[in-house]
Amino acid sequence: MNSAKKNIENILNTDRFMFRIGELSQMTGVSARQLRYWEKKGYIQSEAREDGQRARVYSFKSFVKVSLIKEFLDQGFTLPAAVDKMTEQGKRMSELHQLYHNAYHGLGFYEDQLWVNMGYFDDEKTKILLAHVGDDDDVHYRVMPEEEVAEKLEKIGPETLPGPPMP
DNA sequence: ATTCTAACA
DNA sequence: TGTTAGAA
């Protein structure tokens, strides 16, 4: 796989993100004391770690949960109520996540544009639906035979997208 | 330097 | 819940 695609997909891959308690605290505005307390109450959880370290690490999912709880607390809900609301929201979010996960089948360049491969367009599974956001912020679609997609969209050079500078 | 737990002038 | 202490 080419590096431009890897760069973009790494940005999209939230599973790699791990936060320490101080980081999560700053990100969410929730004190470290609260985070430990919420965990003891079972509202959130930190990741189990294989190494012998005790310092908590949090996943991106925990970040989302904490952010939601914080939001509801700021709206005036009690902590248990805020947690209930977070759980409810989380269900909707995972549904949305499934939706976009089903719709996302990779990225590629074509005609000097970055396209999202949205999977098969037809029930016969011969054509692919592509989408890209133009300079006008409108989404443009294109249907293309699968073979053509394989030919043209996989030919992405690393120079097409500037990556982060190498230290 | 950061995080841990336990405790509270 | 905040804020400490002393340890890791």
Side-chain angles (χ1 to χ4, degrees), chain A residues 20-22 36 55-56:
Chain A
R20 304 185 68 184
I21 197 169
R36 298 189 187 101
R56 275 165 257 251

CSV table of all heavy atoms in Angstrom, one decimal, chain A residues 20-22 36 55-56, chain B residues 2-5 7-8:
chain,number,residue,atom,x,y,z
A,20,ARG,N,-3.1,9.1,28.4
A,20,ARG,CA,-2.9,9.0,29.9
A,20,ARG,C,-3.9,9.9,30.5
A,20,ARG,O,-4.6,10.8,29.9
A,20,ARG,CB,-1.4,9.4,30.2
A,20,ARG,CG,-0.4,8.6,29.5
A,20,ARG,CD,1.0,8.9,29.9
A,20,ARG,NE,1.2,8.5,31.3
A,20,ARG,CZ,2.3,8.7,32.0
A,20,ARG,NH1,3.3,9.4,31.4
A,20,ARG,NH2,2.4,8.3,33.2
A,21,ILE,N,-3.9,9.8,31.9
A,21,ILE,CA,-5.0,10.4,32.6
A,21,ILE,C,-4.9,11.9,32.5
A,21,ILE,O,-6.0,12.6,32.4
A,21,ILE,CB,-5.1,9.9,34.0
A,21,ILE,CG1,-6.5,10.3,34.6
A,21,ILE,CG2,-3.9,10.5,34.8
A,21,ILE,CD1,-6.7,9.6,36.0
A,22,GLY,N,-3.7,12.4,32.5
A,22,GLY,CA,-3.5,13.9,32.4
A,22,GLY,C,-3.9,14.4,31.1
A,22,GLY,O,-4.5,15.5,31.0
A,36,ARG,N,-10.8,8.9,37.9
A,36,ARG,CA,-10.6,7.7,38.7
A,36,ARG,C,-11.8,7.3,39.4
A,36,ARG,O,-12.1,6.1,39.6
A,36,ARG,CB,-9.5,8.0,39.7
A,36,ARG,CG,-8.1,8.3,39.1
A,36,ARG,CD,-7.0,8.4,40.1
A,36,ARG,NE,-5.7,8.8,39.6
A,36,ARG,CZ,-5.3,10.1,39.7
A,36,ARG,NH1,-6.0,11.0,40.4
A,36,ARG,NH2,-4.2,10.5,39.1
A,55,ALA,N,-0.1,3.0,35.7
A,55,ALA,CA,-0.7,4.3,35.2
A,55,ALA,C,-1.7,3.9,34.2
A,55,ALA,O,-1.5,3.2,33.2
A,55,ALA,CB,0.4,5.1,34.6
A,56,ARG,N,-2.9,4.5,34.4
A,56,ARG,CA,-4.0,4.3,33.5
A,56,ARG,C,-3.8,4.7,32.1
A,56,ARG,O,-3.1,5.8,31.9
A,56,ARG,CB,-5.3,5.0,34.1
A,56,ARG,CG,-6.0,4.1,35.1
A,56,ARG,CD,-7.0,5.0,35.9
A,56,ARG,NE,-6.4,5.3,37.2
A,56,ARG,CZ,-6.9,4.8,38.3
A,56,ARG,NH1,-7.9,4.1,38.3
A,56,ARG,NH2,-6.3,5.2,39.4
B,2,DT,P,4.7,16.7,33.3
B,2,DT,OP1,4.2,16.9,32.0
B,2,DT,OP2,4.5,17.7,34.4
B,2,DT,O5',4.0,15.3,33.8
B,2,DT,C5',4.1,14.2,33.0
B,2,DT,C4',3.6,13.0,33.7
B,2,DT,O4',4.4,12.6,34.9
B,2,DT,C3',2.1,13.2,34.3
B,2,DT,O3',1.3,12.2,33.6
B,2,DT,C2',2.2,12.9,35.8
B,2,DT,C1',3.5,12.1,35.9
B,2,DT,N1,4.2,12.1,37.2
B,2,DT,C2,4.5,11.0,37.9
B,2,DT,O2,4.1,9.9,37.5
B,2,DT,N3,5.2,11.1,39.1
B,2,DT,C4,5.6,12.3,39.6
B,2,DT,O4,6.2,12.4,40.7
B,2,DT,C5,5.3,13.5,38.8
B,2,DT,C7,5.8,14.9,39.3
B,2,DT,C6,4.7,13.4,37.7
B,3,DT,P,-0.3,12.1,33.8
B,3,DT,OP1,-0.8,11.6,32.6
B,3,DT,OP2,-0.7,13.4,34.4
B,3,DT,O5',-0.4,11.0,34.9
B,3,DT,C5',0.2,9.7,34.6
B,3,DT,C4',0.1,8.8,35.9
B,3,DT,O4',1.0,9.3,36.9
B,3,DT,C3',-1.3,8.8,36.5
B,3,DT,O3',-1.8,7.4,36.6
B,3,DT,C2',-1.0,9.3,37.9
B,3,DT,C1',0.4,9.1,38.1
B,3,DT,N1,1.1,10.0,39.1
B,3,DT,C2,1.8,9.4,40.2
B,3,DT,O2,1.9,8.2,40.3
B,3,DT,N3,2.5,10.3,41.0
B,3,DT,C4,2.4,11.7,40.9
B,3,DT,O4,3.0,12.4,41.7
B,3,DT,C5,1.7,12.2,39.8
B,3,DT,C7,1.5,13.7,39.6
B,3,DT,C6,1.0,11.3,38.9
B,4,DC,P,-3.1,7.1,37.2
B,4,DC,OP1,-3.7,5.9,36.4
B,4,DC,OP2,-3.9,8.3,37.4
B,4,DC,O5',-2.7,6.5,38.6
B,4,DC,C5',-2.0,5.3,38.7
B,4,DC,C4',-1.6,5.0,40.1
B,4,DC,O4',-0.6,5.9,40.6
B,4,DC,C3',-2.8,5.1,41.1
B,4,DC,O3',-3.5,3.9,41.2
B,4,DC,C2',-2.1,5.4,42.4
B,4,DC,C1',-0.7,6.1,42.0
B,4,DC,N1,-0.7,7.6,42.2
B,4,DC,C2,-0.1,8.0,43.4
B,4,DC,O2,0.4,7.2,44.2
B,4,DC,N3,0.0,9.3,43.7
B,4,DC,C4,-0.6,10.2,42.8
B,4,DC,N4,-0.5,11.5,43.1
B,4,DC,C5,-1.2,9.8,41.6
B,4,DC,C6,-1.3,8.4,41.4
B,5,DT,P,-4.9,3.9,41.8
B,5,DT,OP1,-5.5,2.6,41.5
B,5,DT,OP2,-5.6,5.1,41.4
B,5,DT,O5',-4.6,4.0,43.4
B,5,DT,C5',-3.8,3.0,44.0
B,5,DT,C4',-3.6,3.4,45.5
B,5,DT,O4',-3.0,4.7,45.6
B,5,DT,C3',-4.9,3.5,46.3
B,5,DT,O3',-4.8,2.8,47.5
B,5,DT,C2',-5.1,5.0,46.5
B,5,DT,C1',-3.7,5.5,46.5
B,5,DT,N1,-3.5,6.9,46.0
B,5,DT,C2,-2.8,7.8,46.7
B,5,DT,O2,-2.3,7.6,47.8
B,5,DT,N3,-2.8,9.1,46.2
B,5,DT,C4,-3.3,9.5,45.0
B,5,DT,O4,-3.2,10.6,44.6
B,5,DT,C5,-4.0,8.5,44.2
B,5,DT,C7,-4.6,8.8,42.9
B,5,DT,C6,-4.1,7.2,44.8
B,7,DA,P,-6.6,5.3,54.3
B,7,DA,OP1,-6.0,4.6,55.5
B,7,DA,OP2,-7.9,5.0,53.8
B,7,DA,O5',-6.6,6.9,54.7
B,7,DA,C5',-5.4,7.5,55.0
B,7,DA,C4',-5.6,9.0,54.9
B,7,DA,O4',-5.9,9.4,53.5
B,7,DA,C3',-6.8,9.6,55.7
B,7,DA,O3',-6.4,10.6,56.5
B,7,DA,C2',-7.8,10.1,54.6
B,7,DA,C1',-6.8,10.4,53.5
B,7,DA,N9,-7.4,10.5,52.2
B,7,DA,C8,-8.1,9.6,51.5
B,7,DA,N7,-8.5,9.9,50.3
B,7,DA,C5,-8.0,11.2,50.2
B,7,DA,C6,-8.0,12.1,49.1
B,7,DA,N6,-8.7,11.9,48.0
B,7,DA,N1,-7.4,13.3,49.3
B,7,DA,C2,-6.8,13.6,50.5
B,7,DA,N3,-6.7,12.7,51.6
B,7,DA,C4,-7.3,11.6,51.3
B,8,DC,P,-7.3,11.1,57.8
B,8,DC,OP1,-6.4,11.0,59.0
B,8,DC,OP2,-8.6,10.4,57.7
B,8,DC,O5',-7.5,12.6,57.4
B,8,DC,C5',-6.4,13.5,57.2
B,8,DC,C4',-6.9,14.8,56.7
B,8,DC,O4',-7.3,14.7,55.4
B,8,DC,C3',-8.1,15.4,57.5
B,8,DC,O3',-7.9,16.8,57.7
B,8,DC,C2',-9.2,15.1,56.6
B,8,DC,C1',-8.6,15.3,55.2
B,8,DC,N1,-9.2,14.5,54.1
B,8,DC,C2,-9.4,15.2,52.8
B,8,DC,O2,-9.0,16.3,52.7
B,8,DC,N3,-10.0,14.5,51.9
B,8,DC,C4,-10.4,13.2,52.1
B,8,DC,N4,-11.0,12.6,51.0
B,8,DC,C5,-10.3,12.6,53.3
B,8,DC,C6,-9.7,13.3,54.3
